[in-house]
Amino acid sequence: MDLLRESREDVLVRWARLVERNLGDRLTAAELDHDIREIFDLLLAGAGTDAAGALSGASYDELRSLLAELSSTRARQGFSPTETAISIFALKEAVLGVLEAHEDLRGYQAFANLSRLVDDLGLFMLESYAAARDRVIAEQAETLLELATPVVKLWDGVVALPLVGTLDSARTQVVMEALLQALVDTGSEHAIIDITGVPAVDTQVAQHLLKTVQAARLLGADCIISGIRPQIAQTVVGLGIEFGDIHTKASLSDALLLALRRSGFDLVPRNGRSGS
């Protein structure tokens, strides 16, 4: 590591040039310079206090923490795994260039040791990136679930939950929570679950719908399922699915009309005025 300390600026310049070549304009020159200098200084500090040079050693705690933070940031910024790890792996080529420039054969053994350490750092950074990326995907999926389950107030005492896409266990939980919260917030006694946007209804989807209806009933709300298309009706009958005493309607408008009548409203068509 003595040669690296002596050639610090040379290594950093070569390293920055290699990373910039691979990342293009993904990072500014100032951001890149700051990152690699911080990594390099922590790497030298750890190597100076840990003779074994193991990445898992306590001397590299700060470096591991920095790499984990950088990996998480890169994942949220949309960097690819290769773009994330290149910041580390390019160090080997930069150091090799310095060794060749100095023509110091004794430095190649040190380079071999450094190479193994850099490989460990790169793998650690990739693992951190993958974990951060998984968290980002999970957060995005949860956000999409919430956006895909809007509860709309149609009338005093009547709310509607239009569903689009398939229903699985995770989404059913979100749907149920959204509907129950809306019933509490609005004090509604009638809820319409519209499945016009649900491509198919099988036994599992039907069970999810029944659970949602049962949960709403515990709050004293009556549920109507609308959007029963002919294809869905045939599938439901063919599978022997029983909705019991749950009212179903072909369209949202029919379901709203039923809910209003149950609320005590009697809607009649208005007579048109004839011209004079």
Side-chain angles (χ1 to χ4, degrees):
M1 292 293 178
D2 291 338
L3 179 60
L4 295 183
R5 291 187 177 90
E6 296 170 2
S7 309
R8 179 177 184 274
E9 291 304 319
D10 192 6
V11 172
L12 291 174
V13 169
R14 293 172 183 268
W15 190 5
R17 188 183 303 126
L18 290 168
V19 177
E20 187 176 10
R21 184 191 307 166
N22 287 275
L23 294 184
D25 58 353
R26 298 301 300 270
L27 292 173
T28 65
E31 290 173 329
L32 178 58
D33 182 70
H34 175 272
D35 289 347
I36 65 174
R37 285 180 181 274
E38 194 170 6
I39 293 172
F40 190 74
D41 289 341
L42 289 177
L43 175 62
L44 291 180
T49 57
D50 189 351
L55 178 60
S56 58
S59 61
Y60 289 112
D61 285 348
E62 287 189 60
L63 180 56
R64 290 196 304 272
S65 178
L66 172 63
L67 293 181
E69 182 181 350
L70 286 176
S71 299
S72 178
T73 301
R74 298 289 184 269
R76 294 184 179 279
Q77 290 175 335
F79 281 63
S80 70
T82 299
E83 290 173 331
T84 300
I86 195 63
S87 299
I88 289 296
F89 288 125
L91 173 59
K92 291 199 292 186
E93 187 174 347
V95 173
L96 185 60
V98 171
L99 291 175
E100 292 174 344
H102 285 76
E103 298 182 350
D104 186 352
L105 298 179
R106 294 173 302 174
Y108 284 96
Q109 180 58 47
F111 173 75
N113 296 332
L114 174 67
S115 180
R116 287 192 291 270
L117 179 59
V118 170
D119 288 342
D120 289 340
L121 290 173
L123 291 174
F124 176 79
M125 198 166 191
L126 285 174
E127 291 173 357
S128 300
Y129 171 89
R133 191 62 181 165
D134 287 343
R135 290 194 298 271
V136 171
I137 293 174
E139 292 170 2
Q140 291 174 341
E142 184 176 351
T143 300
L144 288 175
L145 281 177
E146 294 174 354
L147 293 175
T149 54
V151 181
V152 183
K153 182 177 180 180
L154 298 180
W155 203 271
D156 287 340
V158 182
V159 296
L161 176 63
L163 298 178
V164 178
T166 57
L167 277 176
D168 55 19
S169 298
R171 190 179 181 201
T172 298
Q173 184 64 30
V174 175
V175 166
M176 191 181 300
E177 291 176 358
L179 179 59
L180 296 183
Q181 188 61 50
L183 290 173
V184 172
D185 293 342
T186 62
S188 299
E189 297 181 352
H190 300 279
I192 301 173
I193 302 176
D194 184 70
I195 62 172
T196 303
V198 176
V201 174
D202 54 17
T203 304
Q204 185 178 20
V205 172
Q207 290 299 321
H208 291 323
L209 289 174
L210 292 176
K211 288 180 181 179
T212 303
V213 171
Q214 291 168 359
R217 283 181 171 178
L218 291 176
L219 292 181
D222 186 30
C223 288
I224 304 169
I225 298 179
S226 66
I228 305 294
R229 304 184 300 278
Q231 299 89 338
I232 290 182
Q234 292 176 3
T235 301
V236 169
V237 172
L239 294 175
I241 299 173
E242 296 288 344
F243 282 109
D245 59 347
I246 301 174
H247 284 80
T248 60
K249 290 294 181 180
S251 66
L252 179 60
S253 59
D254 291 338
L256 176 59
L257 183 60
L258 175 59
L260 291 176
R261 286 175 175 171
R262 287 184 168 185
S263 299
F265 294 95
D266 189 12
L267 303 183
V268 295
R270 176 184 298 176
N271 293 328
R273 294 183 178 180
S274 59
S276 57

